[in-house]
Amino acid sequence: MSTRYCYLCLMDVLFTPWLDDPDVAPTKALAKDCRCDWEHSIHVLLSPPSNPSLPKANRRKKKLEKKEKSSDKQPGFGVQPVPDDQAGPRPGLPLRRRSKGALLRLLGTKQNCQTLRSAAFRKQAAHANSTGRNRTKDFVIPDSSSAKRQAPRGKGKWKQWTPDAVLRAAFAKENMVIRHVAEQVDGGSASHAADCKFFASELIMRGQRDGLSKFLEEALKDVGMFDFALTNMIFDETELEINLKSFGLGSWSILASHAQMTFCVNDQTHDFDFIRAPAALPNKQATTMWPALCAGEGGLWPGLSAVAARVRAVLVTCDAAPANIKLLSHLQSVLDQRTLLLPLLCLQHRTGNVIERVTKLLGVLTGSFSVAKTLRSGSVVKRLAGHVRDVLAENLQVFDRVPPGVVEEWAAGQACAKAIFKLVLQGRDDDKASGACQRFLDFFASPWTGDLRCQTAAGLWPSSDLRENPLSLTTALNKSKGILVADTYGGVEAYRWARDAYNARHPMHVMVDMSASVPGCNGRLWLGGEQASTDVGLLERNGISVVLPASRTPIPAESLNHVVLDYIDGTALANEDYDLSKFLKVADQVVDLLKKGHGVLSSCRNGAHRSATETCVLIMRLTGWPYEQAENYICTLRNCVDLNSVAPPSAHRRHPVRPSEFLKKHQETILDGHYGLAVNDIVTPVAYRKKMLDLGFESISTRPKAKPAKAIRRDSGYSSFELLTDPASASGQETAKEVELVAEDVLGGTTLSSEGGSLTSSSVASGQVPEPKDPPAQSHSPGKRKESEAEDDFAEFEVVDDDLDTKEKRAAKLTSLCDDLQTLNASMLKLLHPKETSRPQQKAMPKPPSEAKKDEVKAENKMDKMDVDEGAASPAKVVAASSTEEPFEPDYDPDDPEPEEPAPSPLKPDESEQSEEVMKRVLRLLEEQRLHSHAFLAKSSRQDSFSENQERIFAALMGPTPLAVLPMLDDMAASQALLLRDKNGMSLLHFSARLGCWEVMDRMLQINPQLCDQMTSPVGRPAHWSPLMILIDAGHARDPQTFRYMLARLLQETSLTTIEARGANGTSALHMATSKGMFNATKQILYAVYNKNRADLAAFGLVTSMLNTPNGRGAGCVDLAPRCNVDLAMYLQNQWNARPLLPPRASGQAGYAGNGLTAFSDHRRLCPVGPPCHICSGCCASRLESVDRAAALFQEVFLHALTIPALNKWTTVAPSMTLVAAMQQCYDVVPQAFGRCFARGQAEESSDDSGGEDAALGVPRDQTKQWRKLARKRQQKAAFFLQDQESRFLTMLWGIVTFCVMTVHYSLFKRGTWLTERVEDETDANLSFFFSNPAASPAARASSEIASLLDSVQVYAWIPLVGLYGPLLSWPQRRLRSTRRCLLTEVGQLYRKLLEPWKRYPWKLVELPLMEEAMRFQAAQDFFRVRDCCLDGFSAKLKTVVEDPRGLVAAKTLKFLASVFDRLVPTSTCIERAFARLSRWCDRKGPKPQLPTLAAKNAVYHFRHLTDHWRAKARKLGVIRKGKSHRCRPDWAHGVRKGRCRNGLHMFARENGLNPSDDLARQWRLQPRAERRRFAALARASNLQARTLQRCDARAAQESAALTGGFWNMSASTGFPMAKSIVAEHLHSLKDYARNFRVSTDSLLPESPNSFAGAPAVPFSLWASCQVGACPHELTAPQQECFWSLHEMLVLVIGSQSPDPTVASKEPLVLEFCSQRAAASRQVVVAYNTRKKPIDAALIALRPLPPSEVPHQFLQSLACETGVDGQFPLVGDVPMCVELASQATDWELFVLSVGPITDLHLFHIVAAKRVDFVALMLEVGSARETKKALDALKKWRRKKWLQANPAAIGQVESGRDRAKDVARAKLPKAQWREQTDQTCMEIVTTRLMTEALRSRTRTLLLM
């Protein structure tokens, strides 16, 4: 059939919207013909072709009408005329001719669009139905409007939920309340929603039961027996508050477990999970848990016993509770011979035990708990935030730059803060917390502890009144500025013999402080020696900007921060070889510098003669004093000054003049034009201390007497923040850092006193090195100063032994020392100048001045060459200087005829009028000087031959012909050539670079190119410079071509690390090149670094970082370059992205930060805890904004809710305790806020005691008040804990010591899981292998890290404590003992819990499947040779199953072992997480959940988890299609024609890579027709392929959606976890299934007696009783008898004499075993031991040091050293006794007493006591009886009190004693009297009472 339509009507019909009725096709609207009179009309075919419903008459009528119309047409014309109102096209529609085919295609497209819309609607409806929100079928959305709903048939079927609704309710989030779950289903009820969850849980339980039976039936159908079968179970128990049906609400023990079963058939392994419901226990007993763990699928027994397998194994992981051990023993007894049991105690629990011991030892858990509980309250946190802001408003200091002189300290403080935050963030994958910590570090730039030097030398500090009143403090400081303190040596003349030791302690002294005469002037005149002028850090910290050298050598340190004036020889000035008028001009210049506030240092070698002469002239010029007054003034301030000695004669100076005579002679000339300024007052130390106390200061430390210097190892004792100036001074514990302590200007013109601990300006004047002090125990106000402090103000100077207590002994000692020094002096002179000392001095004729000058220069060069060793002792330097002006400065009269020796006559003791304290100090200095001299003589004898060759080579190199060195190098061995270094550490390569001798440089590089990486000495001049730095420093004076060649040669051989190396002042070679403006050299260095680092983007970044690295003054390369070469600076910025680091000269960007140095001299710097400082570069508009930002950072980092620490949850303890440790140390802000918020003494609410009757009856008090009172106590405890100094130290120590163990704990928590859930690419997936492998064990790594902490004090981990409390070995002995005890305890527990158990069987079999065949068979033979006592139950049964070694190495046995160890779960983490979920579901407001609800939630959660895991694996394998993200649009909104409607233009554009903007249409039109046809054909093929792929994808998506698998083939691939078909299949039994699940889980297991009566005996022990290789049963009979007696004695000694496990400051027990027959001894230290029987101890073997290394005050020294693996040689008590018994049978035991600690790994023994075994047994027995009697007496007295006060039974009395008393009070009267009489009989026993009275207090008992 067809209809006739015109074009316009057809277009109108086709574009009519059809969405009103989607079931009406477009053809139905075309059934009628068009009524238009257009000529050009077309026939539209309809389907079907004919319309049978149309009558024939109508068809005929239409045919006639058509004929009539056609007859009316005129030929030749298109259209007949029509009326005007009907003519023309319709308005707005152009007349467009379309072909018949085009219209048909348009019609087909319309039909296709309608089909697509229908399909999209069906997809959307299906999705809406699958969400589960539609409760019943009545709510289901139909596919289309024409679809008919199927009415549910059956009674009540219309109320049945759909499967999707059931799944939605069943698998809703477990933390949702059931009524909220019901609200998600339209019209659902809460009870039905709960039934859905029970229904799904019952389906899960039935599914795994049916699945297991089906698998066993199908698997055993063909093979009949499995290769092996495994059951793996993890269980644990906890208490939860739930609602049981029979007993109601209460706290019940809940047993949770999870199991897996593994079957191997036909070499294929199958793993299955079993979800087990939690069970309620009446009590935690083995007999009660046994039926719960055996019930259901995956149970322990019978379990696998009914499965046919060649070998079976049961793997169990649990904690070490006694009930669990008993249950495992019973399981071992009931299993058959072919079923093996492998129990494993949870490693996470055992790791927690290690940390628990350390925590209890330090006792820091209580305080941390109080802080955490306090911060849980929001109102409290708000109050604390306000107090924190107040503290910051008072203390925050804002600078525009880092204050000068503290850059190094602040950098060290930043490193310390970063290390602390590293502890805080350990184990936390929290980007928010890490970002907050980083912002905190960026904001606060200063150290948390303030000036570290203030802590090391305790002294006087402003009292609280002064700190609160800045005006009073300023006044007190101003009064103290004009005072200097006299040197305390007293000017003893014999002191000159100990000048070197003096200079090591007193580098320099203040001579004049200009603040006394010029108010506000900070200028100071200093007098010092070599120790001061060569120390850049010391000069910078004391503000010395000008150095006036009084001798040619030593050369002052090089630095850009100070200016070195031309040297003026003080000896030449005194002998009038230098014009006095010229020096007076220099003196006037120095005075001007002092007035301008500069610090000036006058220095020579010792600061005693040459520089003292010039300083005396300066003081005379300043004050106008005569020379006698000026000399006395200088000698009082610096006792080593000697102006009455003469310099040694020289070739051009026959009769030297005394400096005092020179000053007297030219006194008028010097005083002419003097300035007349006033100088400082000089007082004694005692007077100054009293004056400061009167001004309001207080003493923060008592000053203990100084102790003799102890021998310290060279590689220990100093932290990374210190630098040794002289290695030889290590014996006296004197470092450059300690020297710097005394020269710091802290108190406005004063510094810390040297050893007295007082804050005096004598520290500046004396420069003494302070002795380490203990922290202040108590502060004293000025008015309440104890008399003991003033009794002996020189007590710290006592350094000699106690046997020198009389004046005669000290006099004899002094005489002996002087004689020895005189002899040693002569020996050294004879050694160095044999010709001069062998004959009398001849009078030489005077030489011309030019020749005399040459001789003087040669002598000085000879002196420089002779001191070869960079670390030589200071006496060596003194003797080496003998060839110049001042060798030993002897005091003899030049007019004497024949001076035998250049030495003064010894000081006679009876002539000495010095005080007793001064004499002791002199003796100490002389003793040190004698030791130095002995060391020099011994060293000189060994270096004579080498020194001669070295002197000859260096002389030739620096001579006129430097190439003469080349033949000498050819004659010398290469090894000796590499050792050629001068006293500054400069090698021949350094000198060749300095001199520009490229030939010598080439020869040295041929010998060893690594010489380019050799640096100069850290204490040399220059310090820590490479040859490259030497070359660049001297490059400006070299020939350009030679310089470029040498630079290229050095850059070729120098390593990248050496190029980046920096000198002692922080300057690198790049800094030097840029600061000198060396453009080409800078470019060469930059490109050398770039090419050495592979010339990639990373190399460019490295170059940029080097350019942006600041030097010691904080300046980068861009900051240094503009001074010499602006183009170089622009080149660095434009080409290498360098940037300036220093702000512009004109500061003031922030507008409120003043000068940094001035601000930092504020009084808060005096506090032991540093003030918070912020470096503001314009980031804050005002100080108020800075305070707000600081308070916000403190609140973000510290003031938030902390996890509550608990001993059994260490993953929550560590974050809390480490944050509390950081809180305690950070600027003291949070502790002060706690102290203000919870101050002690606040008024507490009075407790309402309602009267005697209520109290007697035990009426409960107001519970709210009780909790409030408890909260206040916790808050005050938290405030005290945060402010307590010892708690601060112990908490930080806990964080450092436990860091490595917590790393293992976190690793186990994250990775200890089932094999099926482990990540495949994890390296530590098989944790059992790694723990059994010593090389890869994480516990072994942790033990090595702890050993490194104990062995070395320079480990990075010590940075937090070293930065906070100074060098480790300077701590008080109490803290050192606590530190060592913690480390030993942790090592011992690690050995007992995580190391030693894995060295036994069966863990020795873990590596058996991985071994080579020969080694494997040998290991199998060793296994069968092991005794049964050394095997555990698993290994013993395995031996009976495999029968022989060949059976053990069989393929099936190896696969069985590999499967066992792979599937063994070392931790019970999964159960711990399950308990966390159960606790979270129970801890809610409102009614508590019932046990069936918990069981159902547990089941559906595990099912969802296992399904998600299966889906992830299936997606990875490609089995399941990856679903689209929720961010994408849904499927029904996607276009289906995408990629299927391409044309030729698309293919043309793709092939040519064209875009529409490239004039694509024009290029397409220009293509030939054939080419366009080709592209069209390609488009059609592409469309066809896209349609095919789309159909395949749709089909695959349907198949993937219908796929099931996972947990027993019940999991769905998409949507809800459970397959909908399973739910639909059992939906009719929903109520029955839910009821069954509730009944089966809502019950309490029956209580049974705690014994397995009638159980078979245990055939094998669970664990091996003996260790392989240390089994006592392998010993002979005499040896076994010795073993048992020795072991019993060892156990008794450990139990009775080991220190208390809660007192950390006691030394561990050190024992020594001695045997006369074997002539041997063994020393051990008890690292850790248990307190209850059977005692188990971990011992560390000690190595005795040679007698030469033992200090004289100790009997012996024992070293605790690590082995090759980095671990300590640990051994148990039994293996130790077995080893000793196998060697001898006459061992005696000694208990050693340990002396003071000088190093953590050294035990200095001061006494030894032999153990009497018989007396020890009697003592222990007596102690047991005494304890029993005391306990009985206590109980008897309590009963008597209860009988006298029966009403008191009801009083509030917590604890176990009250519970026992109440229980006994309820006993019948007869029974009570019987027990009382029995107790009284025991009490009245005379022997027991006598022993009780005679017993020592606090006796440590075994029971």
Side-chain angles (χ1 to χ4, degrees), residues 1707-1736:
E1707 286 284 4
L1709 185 62
V1710 182
L1711 305 174
E1712 183 177 17
F1713 298 89
C1714 297
S1715 173
Q1716 296 183 357
R1717 296 179 183 176
S1721 63
R1722 291 287 302 274
Q1723 297 82 14
V1724 294
V1725 57
V1726 182
Y1728 179 79
N1729 64 276
T1730 57
R1731 305 291 297 178
K1732 296 181 179 180
K1733 287 185 176 181
I1735 287 184
D1736 184 17

Side-chain angles (χ1 to χ4, degrees), residues 1307 1311 1318-1331 1333 1336-1338 1341:
S1307 177
R1311 299 179 176 86
R1318 295 175 190 167
V1319 182
E1320 296 180 0
D1321 55 351
E1322 281 188 356
T1323 57
D1324 53 352
N1326 187 357
L1327 293 176
S1328 59
F1329 166 74
F1330 283 94
F1331 274 92
N1333 186 3
S1337 172
R1341 290 197 300 268

Side-chain angles (χ1 to χ4, degrees), residues 402-413 540 1111-1114:
V402 178
V406 295
V407 177
E408 295 180 3
E409 290 184 3
W410 283 29
E540 291 181 355
N1111 62 2
R1113 298 187 302 110

Side-chain angles (χ1 to χ4, degrees), residues 173-435:
K173 290 296 183 180
E174 290 77 16
N175 55 355
M176 294 178 62
V177 185
I178 196 64
R179 64 176 181 273
H180 294 167
V181 176
E183 290 173 357
Q184 294 189 354
V185 181
D186 189 10
S189 64
S191 61
H192 201 82
D195 288 343
C196 291
K197 195 175 287 289
F198 296 145
F199 168 70
S201 303
E202 182 67 16
L203 285 180
I204 293 171
M205 297 300 176
R206 296 193 179 205
Q208 66 184 11
R209 181 184 61 207
D210 299 340
L212 178 60
S213 59
K214 183 178 178 181
F215 171 77
L216 294 177
E217 180 181 354
E218 294 179 355
L220 297 177
K221 185 183 301 182
D222 298 331
V223 296
M225 182 179 291
F226 291 108
D227 294 337
F228 61 83
L230 306 177
T231 295
N232 194 354
M233 177 180 284
I234 305 176
F235 69 89
D236 200 357
E237 179 271 344
T238 190
E239 285 194 1
L240 297 175
E241 191 173 357
I242 61 173
N243 195 346
L244 278 179
K245 179 179 179 181
S246 304
F247 302 93
L249 181 64
S251 182
W252 297 95
S253 295
I254 303 299
L255 178 67
S257 60
H258 190 81
Q260 276 190 356
M261 295 187 73
T262 304
F263 302 95
C264 181
V265 55
N266 296 330
D267 293 335
Q268 293 185 358
T269 306
H270 306 272
D271 295 296
F272 302 100
D273 282 274
F274 290 92
I275 300 174
R276 301 176 58 82
L281 307 176
N283 48 45
K284 187 180 180 182
Q285 293 181 356
T287 54
T288 309
M289 293 189 296
W290 175 257
L293 295 177
C294 294
E297 289 71 30
L300 293 178
W301 187 81
L304 290 179
S305 300
V307 178
R310 293 183 175 86
V311 60
R312 296 176 293 270
V314 179
L315 315 179
V316 182
T317 303
C318 60
D319 57 21
N324 297 344
I325 304 299
K326 189 174 183 179
L327 185 142
L328 293 175
S329 300
H330 179 67
L331 178 61
Q332 181 77 285
S333 65
V334 299
L335 292 178
D336 57 88
Q337 292 297 322
R338 301 195 68 86
T339 304
L340 284 64
L341 173 63
L342 180 55
L344 178 62
L345 301 181
C346 176
L347 290 183
Q348 194 173 358
H349 283 77
R350 299 175 76 82
T351 308
N353 292 339
V354 178
I355 309 172
E356 180 182 359
R357 288 295 119 196
V358 179
T359 307
K360 290 184 177 180
L361 181 65
L362 296 177
V364 294
L365 183 62
T366 306
S368 301
F369 171 81
S370 301
V371 175
K373 289 288 289 185
T374 302
L375 293 178
R376 300 290 287 188
S377 174
S379 59
V380 170
V381 171
K382 183 179 179 181
R383 290 166 53 197
L384 285 173
H387 288 290
V388 165
R389 193 190 183 286
D390 295 341
V391 174
L392 289 172
E394 297 174 4
N395 299 305
L396 181 64
Q397 300 184 12
V398 184
F399 305 140
D400 57 350
R401 60 188 178 91
V402 178
V406 295
V407 177
E408 295 180 3
E409 290 184 3
W410 283 29
Q414 281 284 308
C416 175
K418 289 181 181 179
I420 293 175
F421 277 128
K422 182 180 178 181
L423 296 177
V424 173
L425 297 175
Q426 182 194 17
R428 298 172 60 186
D429 299 332
D430 189 356
D431 296 336
K432 182 179 179 180
S434 60

Side-chain angles (χ1 to χ4, degrees), residues 499-530:
R499 186 169 295 136
D500 299 315
Y502 179 91
N503 275 280
R505 294 175 175 272
H506 311 273
M508 60 184 182
H509 291 76
V510 172
M511 297 289 108
V512 176
D513 190 345
M514 297 298 293
S515 62
S517 56
V518 183
C521 180
N522 295 324
R524 290 181 179 180
L525 177 62
W526 300 74
L527 174 60
E530 179 184 13

Side-chain angles (χ1 to χ4, degrees), residues 82-118:
V82 296
D84 294 338
D85 56 349
Q86 299 180 5
R90 296 180 183 180
L93 289 177
L95 181 60
R96 181 181 181 185
R97 295 177 177 270
R98 288 182 181 270
S99 64
K100 180 179 178 181
L103 290 175
L104 292 177
R105 286 195 300 272
L106 186 61
L107 180 60
T109 304
K110 189 68 175 179
Q111 294 177 351
N112 190 20
C113 291
Q114 178 59 30
T115 305
L116 294 177
R117 291 190 186 97
S118 301

Side-chain angles (χ1 to χ4, degrees), residues 756-915:
S758 62
L759 186 66
T760 67
S761 55
S762 66
S763 318
V764 179
S766 65
Q768 300 170 356
V769 178
E771 295 290 335
K773 301 294 185 300
D774 293 345
Q778 184 179 1
S779 297
H780 306 287
S781 60
K784 297 182 180 181
R785 180 176 181 237
K786 294 184 178 181
E787 297 178 359
S788 59
E789 296 182 3
E791 288 177 0
D792 190 3
D793 288 281
F794 290 93
E796 74 276 7
F797 300 147
E798 182 180 348
V799 294
V800 295
D801 296 335
D802 294 334
D803 55 354
L804 301 178
D805 52 352
T806 62
K807 184 176 181 180
E808 291 75 11
K809 293 183 179 180
R810 286 193 295 273
K813 182 71 173 179
L814 180 61
T815 304
S816 173
L817 287 174
C818 292
D819 294 340
D820 292 346
L821 287 174
Q822 186 173 1
T823 305
L824 291 172
N825 183 22
S827 302
M828 287 188 288
L829 287 176
K830 188 178 298 182
L831 177 65
L832 296 177
H833 309 285
K835 296 182 180 180
E836 297 180 5
T837 55
S838 60
R839 56 183 176 82
Q841 266 189 328
Q842 300 292 334
K843 294 184 178 180
M845 296 296 295
K847 295 184 178 181
S850 59
E851 296 182 7
K853 189 67 175 178
K854 292 180 181 179
D855 294 341
E856 183 178 358
V857 172
K858 290 181 180 179
E860 290 176 352
N861 293 337
K862 182 179 180 182
M863 176 201 67
D864 292 336
K865 299 185 184 79
M866 293 183 65
D867 196 1
V868 179
D869 186 14
E870 60 177 278
S874 53
K877 300 177 183 178
V878 177
V879 178
S882 60
S883 59
T884 60
E885 299 96 351
E886 185 182 355
F888 282 93
E889 300 179 348
D891 188 14
Y892 64 90
D893 192 348
D895 298 330
D896 291 344
E898 292 183 2
E900 294 276 334
E901 297 178 357
S905 58
L907 180 69
K908 296 181 180 180
D910 49 32
E911 297 177 357
S912 177
E913 298 179 355
Q914 305 300 327
S915 64

